[in-house]
Amino acid sequence: MREGTQKLWHGLREHATHWVVGGTLLAVTGFAPEEWLAHTVHGLHIPESVLHLWSAGVDVRVFPIAVGMAVIAIGLLRQRQTVLLTAASVPSVSLAVSAGAPPVEAVSTAKTVEQSLVQGYPDALPLPDKPSIAVLAFTNMSDDPEQEYFSDGVAEDIITELSRNRLLFVIARNSSFTYKGHAVDTRQVARELGVRYVVEGSVRRDGNRIRITAQLIDAETGSHIWAERFDRDLADIFTVQDEITRAMVAALGPAISQAERQRAMQRPPENLSAWEAYQRALSHWSKGEDFSTARVFLQRAVALDPRFAPAHAMLASCYLSETSLGARSVQEGVRLAEAEARTALELDPDSAIAHAVLAWVFGFQGDQGPAMEEADAAIALDPNDPRGHMIKGRILVFSGQPAEAREFLATALRLDPRGPTALGVMVHRAIGCYFEGDYLSAEAMARRAIRAYPQTPRPYAWLAAALGQLGRVDEAHAALDAGIAASPSYFEFITASRPPYYHRPKDHEHLLDGLRKAGWQG
């Protein structure tokens, strides 16, 4: 029955145009077979009221036009309803890219179900391509309602500082603070705001003491990634607020990065997005000297998204790192690195990572002035990014200012104590101590780096040199052998000739002297 009705309807709609055209011709030409129509009407026994309407001047020629227009209008409404129902029930359609080509699945503007849905909430907003986070208003646990201003200020400052990190998607205060005063489920909040991470906390004051607790939650799993408690004397409320904000943001950044790298490592390589390939590269980078594998994933990231500035910047870092290990010539490594760093800056002139890497490019070539300018720009753009601090410390070490480098290297290590920059910080702290003649401190920092990254050759070289200067020949020789075994090309690079980033020739001679005392034959 339903099928028959549909066929009848399609037939009426198909001929509706003919009805309209026919009615229009009747109206224009003036042709109207009134007598034939009159006989027909009388034969059908139409009520007198209708006949009276006719006689009142209603032209029968309007009926074909009216019926045709009504059929067309109803047909359009039915088509619109069908489109809306289809869009609501079918997630994607097949599109033919060219004649004879096999159909391909249409890409939705939203993520796939796996990417876009927070577990347990099927109507969740799609997640952005980069880490997304919402900072909820901190709960005032004190009896004093005046502390609302302080608790709100802490959360608002965290939002402001996190927003300076261009690799994060941070929900605005006006949205995240709408949950203030309500008992909320963090997964529900994440579903409604379209974020993966949620920060929540509380503030409690007791006299002149204040305690702030905060925690970072992965809303997809409900697990706590990071939690901390801060106890402070409330001598200067604004100073305390600034100190706690800096400490929290410094801890949140690495915690989120680590969570993102772990997430990326769990996905099959062939299914990685540009962001996930970038995170996979950072995971290999953080292992020490696995730069070749990191480079492969970074090249995949820029191939998937050529406008992904951080991937270009880190690819430049890979080229320089491979050069410093002797895997590339200085000329080739610097050329490739500078091209990628400048591409990153063209895509994002305010990228702290890109400025930091370009500083390293200049520093690698011995251009100390431009290197310092770019490093300062990186730190100004994002004081919480450890790379700017680390690279400025590196430049200062090799420009004959190791004492001035300590502050920047210490800041970088505090910002990223276990991440990809930690190895570089520890190695350059050892180098700075060595150049200052503090061989015991150089030994301690080199051993610390080796414990964390036993496969990397760089700290072995400075450990061997420091032990050689201390006269501990057997230990020095063992360190030298271990370093050469880890990377013969690295030792060839640092000893065959003076690398271009040594601003002072005497610093390089100082290194060679320590290595000779350790047993190096050069």
Side-chain angles (χ1 to χ4, degrees):
M1 179 66 180
R2 182 177 179 182
E3 182 178 357
T5 304
Q6 289 179 341
K7 289 182 178 179
L8 176 60
W9 171 253
H10 288 308
L12 289 172
R13 190 172 59 183
E14 181 179 353
H15 295 289
T17 303
H18 301 295
W19 293 20
V20 174
V21 173
T24 304
L25 288 174
L26 287 173
V28 172
T29 61
F31 171 75
E34 283 89 355
E35 294 182 1
W36 176 81
L37 288 170
H39 286 295
T40 302
V41 170
H42 286 298
L44 292 174
H45 303 289
I46 302 298
E48 290 295 331
S49 58
V50 176
L51 293 176
H52 176 72
L53 179 64
W54 186 317
S55 63
V58 177
D59 195 334
V60 73
R61 290 171 294 187
V62 303
F63 285 101
I65 298 176
V67 172
M69 294 300 293
V71 171
I72 291 173
I74 295 172
L76 291 174
L77 290 174
R78 286 169 59 89
Q79 286 181 350
R80 175 176 173 78
Q81 182 183 22
T82 301
V83 169
L84 292 175
L85 289 174
T86 302
S89 59
V90 181
S92 61
V93 295
S94 294
L95 301 177
V97 294
S98 61
V104 296
E105 196 71 13
V107 179
S108 171
T109 55
K111 298 293 181 186
T112 63
V113 172
E114 177 187 1
Q115 293 172 311
S116 66
L117 300 188
V118 177
Q119 184 177 355
Y121 297 98
D123 55 342
L125 290 174
L127 297 175
D129 290 331
K130 54 187 178 181
S132 48
I133 184 170
V135 181
L136 303 183
F138 281 27
T139 303
N140 176 23
M141 304 294 291
S142 306
D143 295 332
D144 184 5
E146 291 296 323
Q147 294 307 309
E148 291 287 338
Y149 298 110
F150 181 81
S151 58
D152 287 353
V154 171
E156 189 168 354
D157 284 352
I158 293 172
I159 293 172
T160 300
E161 290 302 314
L162 288 176
S163 298
R164 300 179 68 178
N165 187 334
R166 302 171 74 85
L167 293 180
L168 295 178
F169 180 92
V170 184
I171 295 296
R173 173 198 186 279
N174 289 342
S175 292
S176 59
F177 272 40
T178 57
Y179 300 92
K180 181 178 178 180
H182 302 284
V184 296
D185 178 358
T186 54
R187 295 203 291 178
Q188 176 74 8
V189 171
R191 179 188 67 82
E192 294 177 354
L193 297 180
V195 297
R196 172 165 285 139
Y197 302 104
V198 175
V199 176
E200 60 181 11
S202 64
V203 177
R204 184 190 303 273
R205 180 175 180 176
D206 183 10
N208 290 327
R209 295 282 293 175
I210 194 163
R211 169 172 293 178
I212 298 180
T213 61
Q215 52 190 353
L216 174 67
I217 300 169
D218 184 337
E220 187 175 28
T221 62
S223 60
H224 289 67
I225 298 175
W226 168 88
E228 189 60 83
R229 186 181 71 190
F230 302 87
D231 292 316
R232 296 290 188 275
D233 287 321
L234 206 58
D236 184 339
I237 189 170
F238 294 112
T239 300
V240 171
Q241 183 172 322
D242 290 343
E243 177 190 352
I244 291 175
T245 298
R246 286 194 300 269
M248 284 190 183
V249 173
L252 287 171
I256 294 173
S257 297
Q258 179 65 20
E260 288 292 298
R261 288 196 294 271
Q262 291 177 351
R263 189 185 306 278
M265 291 298 290
Q266 294 171 0
R267 290 183 61 80
E270 62 273 12
N271 294 339
L272 295 176
S273 65
W275 172 258
E276 290 165 337
Y278 174 75
Q279 291 299 321
R280 183 74 71 92
L282 293 184
S283 180
H284 286 282
W285 186 292
S286 66
K287 294 177 182 178
E289 309 285 47
D290 195 4
F291 299 123
S292 60
T293 306
R295 172 174 48 79
V296 170
F297 282 105
L298 289 169
Q299 288 170 332
R300 179 180 298 182
V302 298
L304 290 169
D305 184 0
R307 301 193 60 79
F308 189 10
H312 285 283
M314 291 306 295
L315 183 55
S317 294
C318 264
Y319 288 136
L320 286 181
S321 296
E322 289 179 320
T323 302
S324 67
L325 292 178
R328 294 181 183 275
S329 68
V330 172
Q331 183 179 8
E332 178 193 34
V334 169
R335 175 179 57 82
L336 292 172
E338 184 170 0
E340 292 294 338
R342 293 195 181 279
T343 297
L345 279 177
E346 288 174 6
L347 294 171
D348 186 0
D350 294 328
S351 169
I353 300 175
H355 282 283
V357 175
L358 188 59
W360 188 8
V361 171
F362 288 137
F364 203 96
Q365 300 176 85
D367 297 334
Q368 305 298 324
M372 293 295 290
E373 291 177 6
E374 292 296 332
D376 288 337
I379 294 171
L381 286 166
D382 188 356
N384 296 307
D385 190 325
R387 283 162 287 209
H389 298 277
M390 191 273 285
I391 290 175
K392 183 169 183 177
R394 172 192 174 97
I395 295 167
L396 288 170
V397 165
F398 285 107
S399 64
Q401 305 173 73
E404 291 81 355
R406 289 180 198 150
E407 176 186 352
F408 296 97
L409 294 174
T411 300
L413 191 61
R414 178 65 185 90
L415 290 170
D416 192 14
R418 299 176 61 85
T421 59
L423 173 60
V425 169
M426 290 185 284
V427 169
H428 288 95
R429 281 287 291 118
I431 296 172
C433 292
Y434 183 86
F435 286 165
E436 291 180 294
D438 185 359
Y439 303 124
L440 286 174
S441 295
E443 176 198 358
M445 290 304 302
R447 289 191 184 280
R448 180 177 174 183
I450 290 170
R451 284 195 299 271
Y453 302 94
Q455 303 302 319
T456 180
R458 289 187 291 170
Y460 287 103
W462 297 97
L463 175 61
L467 292 171
Q469 297 289 0
L470 291 169
R472 292 153 60 182
V473 178
D474 291 340
E475 293 177 79
H477 192 74
L480 182 65
D481 288 345
I484 293 176
S487 178
S489 62
Y490 171 67
F491 275 81
E492 175 69 18
F493 175 72
I494 63 172
T495 58
S497 61
R498 179 166 60 91
Y501 49 80
Y502 279 83
H503 188 66
R504 302 189 305 178
K506 68 176 185 178
D507 287 336
H508 187 242
E509 287 298 326
H510 189 184
L511 167 64
L512 297 182
D513 179 61
L515 292 178
R516 291 190 187 100
K517 291 176 179 177
W520 174 67
Q521 303 295 322

